[in-house]
Amino acid sequence: MNQYILSCCSTADLTLEHFQKIDVRYICFHYSLDGKEYPDDLGQSIPFSEFYARMAAGAATATSQVNVQEYCDYFEGFLKEGLDILHVCLSSGISGSLNSANAARDLLKDQYPDRKIYIADSLGASSGYGLLMDTLAQKKADGMEIESLFNWTLKNRLRVHHWFFSTDLTFYIRGGRISKTSGMIGSLLNICPLLNMDNLGRLIPRYKIRTKKKVIRTIVDKMEENAEGGTQYSGKCYISQSACIEDAREVARLVEERFPNLNGRVEINDIGTTIGSHTGPGTVALFFWGGERTE
């Protein structure tokens, strides 16, 4: 029997409608804007446009992950219904959410000895994490049992590729991903850093590319280099963006032009408030399936 729920964190950066359509439950991270705390609830409390406009105007942001008690309360709601749980966490390379989820599972297992709680590390973020969840949801709908789906997740999670670029270095400097001196020079020279997620789920700067036009071409080149089947790639492709929709649309246009066998159109989502608190506006991310990430 398929009596289990598939779950993740709001940081998978899919829309509310998408989560509902694929029957994936989620638990919200938290963020603060100028000292006031909100749930990272897919833009329902504060629209993404307002969030990024306030960041650009200088609003201070901070984030906090789901704590152990929140996970206990969240999981227990399903356990009381007699449901098992497969919960997939935001990458342990950028968050401690996995530790909180594991601690909650350990606290609950004696109370619900007949129930199973599987916790998996996505080693992904934003809509790359969302692409993984979308695929898992399809496999669940096709009848895959919970233990098999958990094992499939662990075996295949590194096949989701994550590439990011930013045209605004302000928040990368503020967060320490780029030094202040490098950031100032980069801004003067119109440098757009290109980053990806490594095999430990960490966001790593890879290239310093001059001009937005060139970095847009390069991120699509990286998809051709790494996608399963190259330009014959026939899987789904997701993009997420933070207040730079035209840049995201240009990446999507080039992807659809170069990869004619895509499974549907490129899906563009907003980078949510947790990830966006660190990237700020001006970031575009591209996600697709390929070979296993090894470094």
Side-chain angles (χ1 to χ4, degrees), residues 130-292:
L131 178 57
L132 175 64
M133 296 310 302
D134 184 270
T135 303
L136 297 181
Q138 184 60 59
K139 291 186 175 299
K140 178 178 183 292
D142 289 342
M144 187 175 284
E145 296 295 332
I146 187 169
E147 185 174 2
S148 296
L149 191 58
F150 171 70
N151 290 329
W152 192 94
T153 304
L154 298 185
K155 184 177 180 180
N156 291 278
R157 58 192 174 180
L158 288 175
R159 293 179 49 235
V160 183
H161 287 247
H162 301 57
W163 286 90
F164 297 73
F165 72 79
S166 182
T167 57
D168 184 345
L169 304 183
T170 304
F171 297 92
Y172 288 82
I173 297 167
R174 185 179 297 178
R177 294 189 184 278
I178 298 174
S179 72
K180 188 173 182 180
T181 301
S182 295
M184 290 175 62
I185 295 171
S187 296
L188 288 171
L189 296 177
N190 201 16
I191 297 292
C192 300
L194 183 62
L195 311 89
N196 79 341
M197 192 155 269
D198 71 0
N199 61 328
L200 299 178
R202 303 171 300 184
L203 194 56
I204 307 294
R206 299 294 187 182
Y207 305 99
K208 298 176 182 178
I209 298 174
R210 197 168 182 181
T211 77
K212 178 169 68 176
K213 185 175 181 179
K214 186 172 181 181
V215 80
I216 286 174
R217 291 198 306 269
T218 303
I219 201 171
V220 180
D221 290 342
K222 288 299 173 185
M223 180 171 174
E224 180 175 343
E225 182 182 326
N226 292 283
E228 186 175 41
T231 56
Q232 299 306 305
Y233 176 68
S234 58
K236 291 184 178 181
C237 177
Y238 289 176
I239 289 173
S240 57
Q241 57 84 32
S242 55
C244 52
I245 186 64
E246 292 307 319
D247 295 341
R249 285 173 178 160
E250 178 60 11
V251 174
R253 184 189 71 79
L254 291 174
V255 167
E256 290 175 353
E257 183 180 272
R258 196 177 302 185
F259 301 87
N261 299 319
L262 285 176
N263 181 357
R265 301 290 300 273
V266 174
E267 181 173 315
I268 301 176
N269 297 301
D270 290 287
I271 293 177
T273 47
T274 296
I275 306 296
S277 291
H278 300 283
T279 68
T283 293
V284 175
L286 177 64
F287 311 102
F288 53 89
W289 289 94
E292 185 172 316

Side-chain angles (χ1 to χ4, degrees), residues 30-38 51 60-64 277:
H30 313 277
Y31 69 98
S32 65
L33 195 60
D34 278 339
K36 183 176 180 180
E37 186 169 302
Y38 302 89
F51 172 76
T61 60
T63 60
S64 58
S277 291

